[in-house]
């Protein structure tokens, strides 16, 4: 049984890719990640991802660059932002060298990463950089009433 505290300490990631094998590969790569606890959920399409986001809270979305029938992140990310998702979105692709990847901030993308670069250490870094920010303890007194 997961307590409410346990839920807050678990990072929920939505992995959106039209190839299930990519999800399985990701799960294997991050199996050794012990801190923080990561729960990864899979969506095979942007439509399915939109449905899941409407029903649950996700701390991070890893989104395949090309999802049919959409062309690339320039179409899918605005759909995610359009339903109110404000968390970090990372575009994942086999090849991130295309010139249009330089436009990713204009479309609401926080970062891009090659599929071959994702492993436990990379995901841990992404979580620390984009999902959690630890405020120093001495600052916390300034915000308590």
């Amino acid at each position: 049984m997961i307590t409410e505290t346990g839920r807050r300490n678990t990072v929920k990631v939505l992995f959106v890719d039209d190839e299930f094998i990519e999800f399985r590969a990701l799960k294997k790569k991050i199996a050794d990640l012990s801190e923080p606890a990561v729960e990864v959920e899979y969506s095979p399409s942007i439509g399915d991802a939109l449905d899941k986001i409407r029903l649950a809270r996700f701390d991070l979305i890893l989104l395949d660059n090309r999802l049919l029938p959409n062309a690339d992140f320039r179409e899918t990310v605005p759909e995610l932002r359009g339903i109110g998702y404000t968390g970090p979105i990372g575009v994942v692709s086999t090849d991130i060298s295309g010139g249009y990847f330089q436009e990713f901030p204009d479309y609401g993308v926080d970062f891009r990463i090659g599929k071959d670069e994702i492993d436990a250490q990379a995901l841990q870094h992404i979580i620390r950089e984009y999902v959690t920010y630890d405020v120093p303890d001495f600052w916390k007194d300034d915000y308590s009433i």
Side-chain angles (χ1 to χ4, degrees), residues 64-75:
D64 185 23
N65 181 42
R66 296 204 182 270
L67 291 170
L68 296 176
N70 302 83
D72 55 44
F73 73 84
R74 294 174 290 184
E75 291 181 15

Side-chain angles (χ1 to χ4, degrees), residues 56-111:
R57 180 192 59 79
F58 290 94
D59 300 302
L60 170 67
I61 295 175
L62 296 175
L63 177 70
D64 185 23
N65 181 42
R66 296 204 182 270
L67 291 170
L68 296 176
N70 302 83
D72 55 44
F73 73 84
R74 294 174 290 184
E75 291 181 15
T76 54
V77 173
E79 288 186 55
L80 296 171
R81 296 296 188 201
I83 64 163
Y85 180 77
T86 59
I89 297 174
V91 172
V92 181
S93 183
T94 303
D95 180 14
I96 58 172
S97 64
Y100 68 95
F101 275 103
Q102 301 308 313
E103 303 170 20
F104 75 91
D106 298 338
Y107 291 89
V109 177
D110 295 282
F111 64 92

Side-chain angles (χ1 to χ4, degrees), residues 1-12 37-39 57:
M1 185 160 134
I2 299 175
T3 64
E4 185 62 33
T5 303
R7 275 194 202 106
R8 275 188 260 132
N9 293 333
T10 299
V11 176
K12 287 189 67 173
V38 176
E39 180 184 316
R57 180 192 59 79

